[in-house]
Structure formats: structure tokens, C-alpha cells
Amino acid sequence: MVTKCIIAFAAFYHVIATVAAMMSVFHSSRVMRGDEISQPLWRKIFSWGETHLWISGALLIVAGIYQSSLSEYLNNPKLWTKVSLVLIWGITSFMIQKTMQTASVARRNLMFGISTGSLLYGSFLGVAKSLAYGVLPFPVFLVGYVATIAFCTLGVHRLFALAISSYPSGKI
């Protein structure tokens, strides 16, 4: 019972961190579009969301392993999809922070698409409990992830294109 309570609180903590991380992407995109100036306080708070996603995710994994056997827990294609997704998202977040101002339009759109797609697909996997433990194979999960990234990248491209066309000079 204690483990289930820990998992419930860790999952809630993970949801709050996910919201903060999504707001980080949203805020960064607004700054890139020129819709608002950079506000260090908000950027710092949203960046904490990314850190807390890592912490809460680690708590969920440890509690999940404690609740079931290690081999059973690790034999879950959905888990490995989330691990892959988190690694890709982490690298992308690092790249956004380091190259956001100097990246080409296509690269910036791809980075934001990967970040947004990772957060959305990770959220989907978090609530898709019924798909765990071999219901779907790993490649099927990856196809869903790639499709989500493609959709989000297209959405980001359109979002930034609308921002450029709405300014009289045609530039942000």
C-alpha cells in the first residue's frame, strides 16, 4: 500500500513537472516569435520543470521496480520507448538552450517539434497504462513517437510561419 501511495504522489509530481516543461517550450516559442520579451524568472521556473521531470521519472522507475520484479519491470516495450524518448528530449532541450538564437529556421522548427512531440507522446504513454507489458511491440511505439514528432514539427513550422507573415517587415 505504501508503494502504491508513493507511485501516486510521484505520478502527480511528474504531471506537474510535465506542465512546467510544456510551459517552458511555449514560453521559448513566444520569445522566438517575438510575442514577448525574455523573462528570466519565468524561464527559470519552467527550466525547473525539466529537472523535476527527471527526478519524478526516476522516482517512478524506482517505485515500479520495487513494486514488481526487476526483470518484469524491464521487460516492457513502453518503458523502453519512454527511456528513448526522454534521452532524445534531453538532448534536444540542451540543443535548444545552446543554439536557439543561432539555429536555422528548419533546425529550430525541428528542435521545437521534437521537444513538443516528446512531451506530448511521453504524456500519452504515461496515461496509456493498458498498453504496458507487451501489448504493443517497441517498433510500434517508436512509429507513434516519430509520427507525433512529425505532426508537432509541422505545427511548429506553421506557428512560426504565421508569426513571420503577421509582421509588416516579414521578419521577427
Side-chain angles (χ1 to χ4, degrees), residues 64-137:
I65 290 170
Y66 181 78
Q67 186 178 27
S68 61
S69 71
L70 179 62
S71 62
E72 178 187 358
Y73 191 79
L74 295 179
N75 191 21
N76 182 359
K78 189 177 100 161
L79 170 70
W80 292 110
T81 305
K82 285 187 88 171
V83 168
S84 301
L85 176 152
V86 166
L87 291 174
I88 292 168
W89 170 72
I91 292 166
T92 303
S93 290
F94 176 77
M95 295 300 294
I96 287 172
Q97 291 172 4
K98 297 296 178 200
T99 66
M100 184 166 68
Q101 299 298 328
T102 59
S104 68
V105 171
R107 184 174 178 179
R108 181 198 62 207
N109 290 349
L110 180 60
M111 288 188 302
F112 275 101
I114 291 171
S115 187
T116 305
S118 295
L119 289 165
L120 290 175
Y121 198 67
S123 297
F124 165 72
L125 291 176
V127 299
K129 303 295 184 207
S130 60
L131 299 179
Y133 300 104
V135 172
L136 294 175

